[in-house]
Amino acid sequence: MSDLRSVMSASYRALDGDTARFFRRLGLHPGPEFSPGAAAALTGTPLDRARKLLDQLTRSHLVERPRTDRYRLHDLVRLYALERVDDEDGIDAAREAVGDVARWYTHAAARAQLAEHPNFPVVRGSETPEELPALTSVEEARAWFETERANLVAAAEAALEHGHHDVAWRLPATAYPLFEMHRHWHQWRDLHTLGLRAAEEAGDAFGAARNHLGMGDAQWLLGELDEASGHYRAALEANRGPGDPWVEGFALRQLGEVSWQLGEHESAHAFVERAIAVLGEAGERRGEAMGLLSLAELSADSGRWEEALDRGRAAVAAFEGIDDVWSVAWAGCTLGRALLGSGRAVEAASQYRTSIAVFEEHEDGDSRAVALLGLGEAHVVLGETESARQVWGSALDHFTDHGDPRAEQVAERLRGLEV
């Protein structure tokens, strides 16, 4: 240990002042690995200069480069860098640096989010950092998110710890559909725990409303219905002052979804109808379409197939009007179910295939698996047993790989094909 410390000290003393400052600040990065962009934001250094300094520090063995454009500090080197920050920069400089990099992650996450879901209202805040990643395509956004996912959580935690409450609630409220789409639901729930604490510390009602809404969605998907309902109601309460129609509309819609699952069918319809009214009046076209889709699903659950088709088609038309390709595909699954229920299995199979193609393009494995279940049902109705076995087998592989409880239901359907 003493020998390593001597080597580090000697390497550090050999650095010029700007490079030494850059190295010290790297120890403040919230996660274990970082990109040149994050290093630039953390240290207040132009990106081109940050790249050169990272290369220099890599040659000096103070920084490691595990792969292209990814850097890290060995744990002991990180501790040494933090000691130097304490001695030479002080707590205020450390706090400022952490806030800068957390803001950078928030704005970068907003770009990734909007590339995947352009109609989602991000709340990135002001003071846009320079030299953010471009993230203009779904593929770029997805790859960036999976690479930086742990850093997003760590950045929110560090922002909260250092008193940057506004950033700490905005990051979860901006990034959460990325966690939803890519099935990191437990991590998503943890992120909103941070966001809610930050909003409470800041006394920010809108921040609380956005994070309660996201927490409700995470717990809904995790099957924690009572807890989800509580957070949706808390979102409505927190939103009384801000009066944001997007929060109100989606909280109401989700209360309708939960109420339906709990068997409270009359309340479910009332919640969804109120959601559609709120979102429609505010011009929130995607939210209004999601409400219509919820009504279509409730109709399908009740076996009112023609009503489900009418409502589903209205939702699809609304999604197409705002060029929301993924939501069109998701609504297509509801149409496929209604078509199948009304005896139009060939049309249903075609609808499911169209949706599956979109989900594959978006690399959305979970939605693809859901659509495969419907396609398998259409194959069964059409007497195409081997085709049903193939698509259900593919869905089973996905659910099994992700520890999804739906795997057993699919396995049961496959066993039924053997009878």
Side-chain angles (χ1 to χ4, degrees), residues 70-88:
R70 300 299 292 178
Y71 296 86
R72 67 187 178 200
L73 273 62
H74 185 280
D75 288 346
L76 294 177
V77 177
R78 180 185 296 276
L79 289 174
Y80 180 79
L82 289 173
E83 288 178 8
R84 304 269 44 86
V85 168
D86 288 341
D87 290 346
E88 301 181 44

Side-chain angles (χ1 to χ4, degrees), residues 190-271:
D190 294 343
L191 188 63
H192 281 302
T193 299
L194 297 170
L196 286 169
R197 285 174 53 197
E200 181 180 357
E201 290 288 336
D204 195 305
F206 180 61
R210 287 292 299 253
N211 277 277
H212 274 301
L213 182 60
M215 178 68 92
D217 285 348
Q219 293 190 306
W220 175 57
L221 287 171
L222 289 167
E224 300 165 359
L225 299 185
D226 290 336
E227 293 85 350
S229 179
H231 280 289
Y232 293 137
R233 294 178 188 278
L236 289 173
E237 182 62 30
N239 190 55
R240 287 185 183 277
D244 184 85
W246 187 87
V247 170
E248 182 181 358
F250 271 93
L252 288 168
R253 173 184 179 263
Q254 289 304 105
L255 280 170
E257 296 280 355
V258 171
S259 296
W260 187 264
Q261 288 178 263
L262 293 173
E264 301 164 358
H265 293 176
E266 186 174 341
S267 296
H269 279 95
F271 279 128

